[in-house]
């Protein structure tokens, strides 16, 4: 067996072929790991029911009475009966949520509403809400001018 391996390694280009085979095996292992961890998937909010579930997971007892989904389904705004507004946005392969306490980070541009929170790690997001953008922007003014 060792003699056969020595003979194969002595062939011209055998080292390059082994390197290529090793690289191929490494790429296949990384691919299998990515698939196993479900990395790189294009997650989107399917419907209002999923947005409700995400809000409930983010804060127990948050029961939205009004929901606005981004047209691309990468984010949502939800309002509960007490007037609290929760922003849900895609964060990698998952979703993150924050309750908005101020309208200071809100900017309206036609059908697009850009929102940011006091949390610098949460970042900002531009939601395509269409005709609902103006209504939501106006309602956010009730949250207060500063955090």
């Amino acid at each position: 067996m060792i003699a056969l391996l020595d003979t194969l390694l002595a062939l011209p280009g055998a080292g390059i072929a082994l390197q290529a085979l090793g690289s191929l095996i490494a790429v296949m292992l990384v691919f299998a790991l990515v698939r196993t961890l479900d990395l790189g998937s294009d997650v989107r909010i399917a419907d209002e029911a999923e947005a409700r579930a995400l809000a409930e997971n983010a804060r127990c007892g948050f029961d939205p009475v009004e929901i606005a989904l981004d047209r691309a389904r990468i984010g949502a705004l939800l309002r509960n009966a007490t007037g609290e507004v929760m922003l849900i946005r895609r964060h990698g392969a998952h979703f993150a949520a924050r309750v908005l306490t101020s309208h200071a980070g809100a900017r309206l541009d036609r059908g697009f509403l850009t929102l940011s929170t006091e949390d610098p790690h949460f970042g900002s997001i531009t939601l395509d809400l269409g005709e609902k953008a103006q209504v939501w922007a106006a309602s956010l003014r009730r949250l207060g001018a500063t955090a």
Side-chain angles (χ1 to χ4, degrees), residues 16-64:
I16 293 173
L18 282 176
Q19 284 180 336
L21 180 62
S23 295
L24 179 63
I25 291 171
V27 167
M28 296 303 286
L29 288 173
V30 170
F31 175 77
L33 180 65
V34 167
R35 294 286 293 208
T36 301
L37 296 176
D38 197 27
L39 300 175
S41 60
D42 185 24
V43 294
R44 299 191 185 256
I45 301 172
D47 53 20
E48 288 188 3
E50 184 178 3
R52 284 180 192 280
L54 290 169
E56 175 66 25
N57 287 339
R59 192 170 104 191
C60 186
F62 191 91
D63 186 25

Side-chain angles (χ1 to χ4, degrees), residues 102-131:
S102 168
H103 75 279
R107 290 186 317 275
L108 176 65
D109 182 19
R110 297 187 187 128
F112 297 94
L113 185 59
T114 301
L115 299 163
S116 59
T117 66
E118 304 82 39
D119 183 356
H121 302 291
F122 190 74
S124 64
I125 183 171
T126 300
L127 300 174
D128 181 359
L129 301 177
E131 295 174 2

